[in-house]
Amino acid sequence: MAEKDANSKMNIAEVLGLACIGVLTVITVFAFDEGGVYMLAAVPTLFLIVCLAIRWPAVEKRVCVLVLGDIGRSPRMQYHAMSLAKHGYYVDMIGYGGSKPHDDILQNKFITIHNMPETPSLPKFIPRLFHYAAKVVMQSAILKVYLLIGIPRPKIILLQNPPAIPSTGVVWFIGLLRGCRVFIDWHNYGYTILSLTLGVKHILVRFSKWYEKYFGKLSSANICVTNAMREDLLKNWGIKAVTMYDRPPRIFQETDLDNQHDLFIRLSPNYPIFGSTQRNQTAFTEITPAGVKVRPDRPALLISSTSWTEDEDFSILLSALEKYENACKDNELNLPKVVCAITGKGPMKEHYKSIIATKNFQFVHICTPWLEAEDYPLLLGSADLGICLHTSSSGLDLPMKVVDMFGCRLPVCAIHFNCLDELVQHEENGLIFHNENELAQQLQDLLAGFPGNQKQLQSFRENLKPFQSMRWDDCWDKTVLPIVESLSK
């Protein structure tokens, strides 16, 4: 920590020294300039001072990780920061506050978080085009302040895309001024997400596509999340990228029974469905003289994680669960009760909660918990089946939630979209469905006779063992570290 503080103080002292020279120059001009002679010399002098200040030699191993979003809800960028810190890089992580980042980020002496202020909301009667323009102007100004004077000069700016506007253009400009290398991590295309609400022919969508392509091509290096995206970037935009698949860190593991029991006890005050009226019991576990055991009458635990956005249609899951409820009432397949936990935050959460509240299920119980970063992998590792409704606006990215589930050896039912087979292999490590009818049938097939009969679920778990052998650190060291080292020279 002392070394980190010394580096920060050194940069502040250097900038203050240059600022003093600038102030003296201004005083000289106003005190002695009579004919504008000094002004002619002062303007380029001040410009040179500013350039020297913002391009002052960087700490040899310093990277800025930029997220134009909630840092706590950007796991891949958090993993980048932790991997960089592990290899001795000082990391300035810039983004918005809101959700709590992982403790490993908060406690790491090599990582400093800079929370930017949110842009203020404009009245709804203002036209949408003006609203977008005003937001971009405000975000650009805030980004420039943080990237120019809010942090010491980094060697590399590692940028998450999307969103592309205004971050890619602003980062390119700052990189030009401060002599930083721009390194883009392509998670998706921003213009395709915008097209979900505006339509593909809207002028903002077309401008966004041009902007994203133009400034993306000016980057120094690129990584992306799938081979399909790598090929698309090269073919359509002439951008060379390296595929860095999402991989779970080692915190994503199967949860042992003791920790399962403790988790359900901890969640039960806010979410009673996890608890029990009996002492030493939860809905899923019980304490016996031999230790914590699984209850023989326990329900099946389904889990789905979401950002509650338009690219995930949760009406499909609700319809499938309604069909499952009806099948339970028929009592022909010996189906268990189900607890379906849908985690996450997002703009459409309240909309779906109001729909869920109208359901009068007897065999299906739905809850929508928000979990701390440390509890999320524990709940995944305690579940019996994951559900994924991510459809991808571009058809070129993969759902990180499934990666986390696979890290916990949790089989998944996932909705079909292009390139999903790079992650989910149908009837090997999970099942792929196209509509609510297929999902409802898959739930019934997988859970018939549960918990006594878990033959297919266990087969999927066995097939997930190879996936667990390559974790985030292993993949990052092999794929990203050589790029970072090359850009740092």
Side-chain angles (χ1 to χ4, degrees), residues 67-75 78 95-100 118 345:
V67 181
L68 199 61
D70 187 335
I71 292 175
R73 295 171 63 189
S74 305
Q78 292 186 67
Y96 295 123
S99 305
K100 177 176 169 284
E118 296 272 1
K345 291 180 179 179

Side-chain angles (χ1 to χ4, degrees), residues 205-217:
V205 175
R206 289 182 295 184
F207 172 76
S208 176
K209 182 177 181 179
W210 171 85
Y211 184 97
E212 196 167 8
K213 176 181 179 180
Y214 181 82
F215 287 106
K217 293 175 70 171

Side-chain angles (χ1 to χ4, degrees), residues 164-380:
I165 298 177
S167 51
T168 50
V170 171
V171 167
W172 170 81
F173 177 71
I174 298 300
L176 195 65
L177 286 179
R178 301 196 74 178
C180 310
R181 311 297 292 275
V182 178
F183 185 11
I184 300 179
D185 185 1
W186 296 83
H187 296 195
N188 201 348
Y189 293 141
Y191 79 90
T192 63
I193 297 175
L194 192 60
S195 70
L196 293 176
T197 54
L198 300 181
V200 294
K201 295 184 179 180
H202 196 281
I203 186 172
L204 284 179
V205 175
R206 289 182 295 184
F207 172 76
S208 176
K209 182 177 181 179
W210 171 85
Y211 184 97
E212 196 167 8
K213 176 181 179 180
Y214 181 82
F215 287 106
K217 293 175 70 171
L218 298 177
S219 59
S220 300
N222 300 271
I223 56 175
C224 59
V225 294
T226 64
N227 286 330
M229 179 171 282
R230 173 175 58 81
E231 293 168 3
D232 189 80
L233 282 167
L234 182 61
K235 178 181 178 181
N236 295 317
W237 289 5
I239 295 174
K240 293 182 179 180
V242 175
T243 302
M244 168 64 192
Y245 281 117
D246 281 321
R247 283 293 183 268
R250 300 190 188 280
I251 58 173
F252 287 92
Q253 302 278 355
E254 289 181 278
T255 307
D256 61 66
L257 285 175
D258 287 339
N259 281 317
Q260 284 188 35
H261 187 80
D262 291 342
L263 174 67
F264 296 140
I265 291 291
R266 194 161 62 248
L267 293 175
S268 60
N270 293 323
Y271 309 102
I273 192 60
F274 291 105
S276 172
T277 57
Q278 301 298 315
R279 187 180 179 184
N280 295 329
Q281 282 189 350
T282 70
F284 305 90
T285 57
E286 60 184 353
I287 297 177
T288 71
V292 178
K293 300 292 183 182
V294 174
R295 287 182 55 173
D297 59 343
R298 73 180 182 95
L301 178 56
L302 312 184
I303 187 165
S304 184
S305 177
T306 178
S307 297
W308 298 103
T309 52
E310 292 178 342
D311 63 349
E312 291 182 289
D313 184 2
F314 266 82
S315 66
I316 293 175
L317 176 58
L318 297 181
S319 296
L321 290 175
E322 191 160 11
K323 295 178 187 298
Y324 183 90
E325 169 81 9
N326 292 332
C328 288
K329 291 177 180 178
D330 293 340
N331 200 27
E332 294 180 358
L333 300 174
N334 191 24
L335 296 172
K337 290 184 177 180
V338 160
V339 173
C340 182
I342 308 173
T343 71
K345 291 180 179 179
M348 300 189 71
K349 182 172 183 177
E350 294 305 316
H351 166 73
Y352 280 110
K353 283 182 68 176
S354 64
I355 297 176
I356 292 169
T358 65
K359 304 296 182 181
N360 189 26
F361 292 150
Q362 298 177 12
F363 298 91
V364 175
H365 302 276
I366 304 172
C367 64
T368 56
W370 171 248
L371 302 171
E372 295 293 336
E374 291 72 29
D375 284 342
Y376 177 60
L378 292 177
L379 188 60
L380 288 186

Side-chain angles (χ1 to χ4, degrees), residues 391-424:
T391 53
S392 176
S393 59
S394 66
L396 299 171
D397 69 314
L398 292 173
M400 194 165 187
K401 67 197 75 178
V402 173
V403 174
D404 295 337
M405 291 172 183
F406 281 1
C408 297
R409 288 184 69 201
L410 178 63
V412 170
C413 290
I415 193 165
H416 175 269
F417 65 89
N418 292 337
C419 88
L420 180 63
D421 58 0
E422 289 190 39
L423 181 61
V424 181

